[in-house]
Amino acid sequence: MQSLITCVLIIAFISPCLCHRWNVGTQNTIYNVIDFGAVGDGKTDDTQAFLKAWQSMCEAQGTSTLLIPPNKVFLVTSMLLKGPCVAPSVQIQLQGVIVAPTKDAWVEGNLNTLIMISNVNGLTIDGSGGLIDGYGSAWWACKSCPRPSVLIINSCNSVSVTNLNMINSPKSHIHVNGCEGATFSHINISAPGDSPNTDGFDISTSKNIMIEDSTIATGDDCIAISGGSSYINVTGIACGPGHGISIGSLGKKFDTVQEVYVRNCSFIRTTNGARIKTFPNGMGYAKQITFEDITLEQTRNPIIIDQEYRDLTVFT
């Protein structure tokens, strides 16, 4: 009997240590980019440190968080945060500031995006206290030049993004592509009213997307919903300045958009309010589109359906 009691006591004392060391689903492991070599002085390129921290987090079991800590400014160049990850869910906590490089510092041929998150399911991004600055002003003079977006979320399912602050993207601020099941809430996006093609959200080939309780002020569409998208819910959006909330542009190829619900949104000093735009002779359809409980103030075109849309730049 004495031997049995001794064994039980040994297991009781050792097991918690093993759980902590092996991280057997007992806690949220934090991967701070500083611990992977990030400097955070706004001048040093911290891209590789971010990628190393992401890779370590993505390969971990159990709940894990990539931490971008406060009181630091992190300069990053174009980077891909790629999945799938081992854990069923991962988190990004943005408490500091991320800045894009100057226009001249971008590598030619790599101008798609500042940050792409791809093939990650169960992703949560909490931007409380943080900011992403795209430093877009140097790009805007050339409206037809290729320009990067700030954030692309590609082929990710079950996504939650909250309290994210973004300013001055060279092109669109957030592009959601090929995703199913994503919620964006309390997002603040800001760029000057004359900044070209700086859409707040671009949504393409995605399903079951919700954007709610957010403020979007840009030089283009506050939200643009493009081909292959369905069951898009937009509610509680303050839009302006900008070009409104748009379906399209559609029709460069066979495009379909359906089941879009825009409710309880305000348009203040915008070019358009509710808009559907299709190219001449385009193929496809837009159906089950609902705009309701809309507030308009100093809006040039409160409701516009344009089937002869012709973009004057290479972008839509």
Side-chain angles (χ1 to χ4, degrees):
M1 178 62 68
Q2 181 65 39
S3 298
L4 176 61
I5 294 174
T6 302
C7 290
V8 170
L9 289 174
I10 290 173
I11 292 173
F13 280 114
I14 291 178
S15 293
C17 299
L18 293 177
C19 288
H20 177 74
R21 182 177 300 169
W22 295 338
N23 190 32
V24 187
T26 60
Q27 63 180 9
N28 183 354
T29 304
I30 306 297
Y31 293 83
N32 190 328
V33 294
I34 295 293
D35 297 334
F36 291 83
V39 177
D41 61 0
K43 299 177 182 178
T44 305
D45 186 350
D46 289 322
T47 304
Q48 291 305 312
F50 272 61
L51 292 174
K52 290 176 183 177
W54 171 267
Q55 190 63 33
S56 295
M57 182 195 70
C58 194
E59 293 174 350
Q61 296 183 359
T63 302
S64 300
T65 296
L66 179 72
L67 176 63
I68 299 124
N71 305 315
K72 296 284 187 178
V73 179
F74 299 95
L75 171 66
V76 300
T77 57
S78 183
M79 64 181 181
L80 170 62
L81 305 180
K82 186 178 181 181
C85 294
V86 173
S89 62
V90 296
Q91 302 175 5
I92 298 175
Q93 186 77 46
L94 173 60
Q95 299 175 349
V97 176
I98 293 176
V99 297
T102 61
K103 180 176 181 294
D104 294 339
W106 281 81
V107 177
E108 186 174 353
N110 195 19
L111 298 178
N112 189 34
T113 185
L114 181 66
I115 303 168
M116 176 182 283
I117 303 174
S118 183
N119 295 104
V120 180
N121 296 332
L123 171 69
T124 297
I125 302 175
D126 183 354
S128 299
L131 174 71
I132 304 178
D133 188 342
Y135 277 89
S137 59
W139 299 82
W140 297 331
C142 181
K143 295 183 178 181
S144 61
C145 293
R147 287 176 271 135
S149 301
V150 165
L151 175 62
I152 296 179
I153 300 177
N154 179 69
S155 298
C156 298
N157 301 326
S158 302
V159 176
S160 174
V161 182
T162 59
N163 301 308
L164 184 61
N165 300 294
M166 306 177 72
I167 62 173
N168 298 330
S169 177
K171 194 184 173 185
S172 61
H173 287 77
I174 300 175
H175 187 181
V176 181
N177 178 67
C179 298
E180 182 171 350
T183 298
F184 298 84
S185 62
H186 299 97
I187 311 297
N188 294 297
I189 294 174
S190 179
D194 60 353
S195 56
N197 307 110
T198 53
D199 294 10
F201 282 86
D202 284 339
I203 301 172
S204 59
T205 323
S206 295
K207 183 178 181 180
N208 294 324
I209 309 299
M210 173 173 281
I211 305 172
E212 61 182 1
D213 302 327
S214 299
T215 301
I216 305 172
T218 71
D220 208 310
D221 295 322
C222 290
I223 300 171
I225 302 165
S226 299
S229 297
S230 60
Y231 296 94
I232 311 299
N233 286 273
V234 178
T235 183
I237 304 301
C239 172
H243 293 181
I245 295 178
S246 298
I247 310 300
S249 52
L250 305 177
K252 280 191 172 180
K253 52 184 177 56
F254 187 89
D255 284 323
T256 66
V257 172
Q258 59 184 338
E259 303 290 353
V260 176
Y261 304 93
V262 180
R263 296 186 173 93
N264 190 30
C265 295
S266 64
F267 299 89
I268 301 175
R269 293 184 295 278
T270 57
T271 305
N272 310 291
R275 177 164 69 156
I276 300 175
K277 50 180 176 174
T278 61
F279 287 100
N281 303 314
M283 299 293 292
Y285 58 80
K287 62 183 182 180
Q288 282 87 50
I289 312 296
T290 300
F291 287 80
E292 64 181 10
D293 295 329
I294 301 300
T295 300
L296 301 155
E297 181 178 328
Q298 299 181 46
T299 299
R300 186 184 307 168
N301 304 305
I303 301 173
I304 180 170
I305 299 176
D306 184 358
Q307 293 182 286
E308 296 290 330
Y309 179 73
R310 299 177 185 273
D311 195 353
L312 298 179
T313 73
V314 296
F315 303 110
T316 58

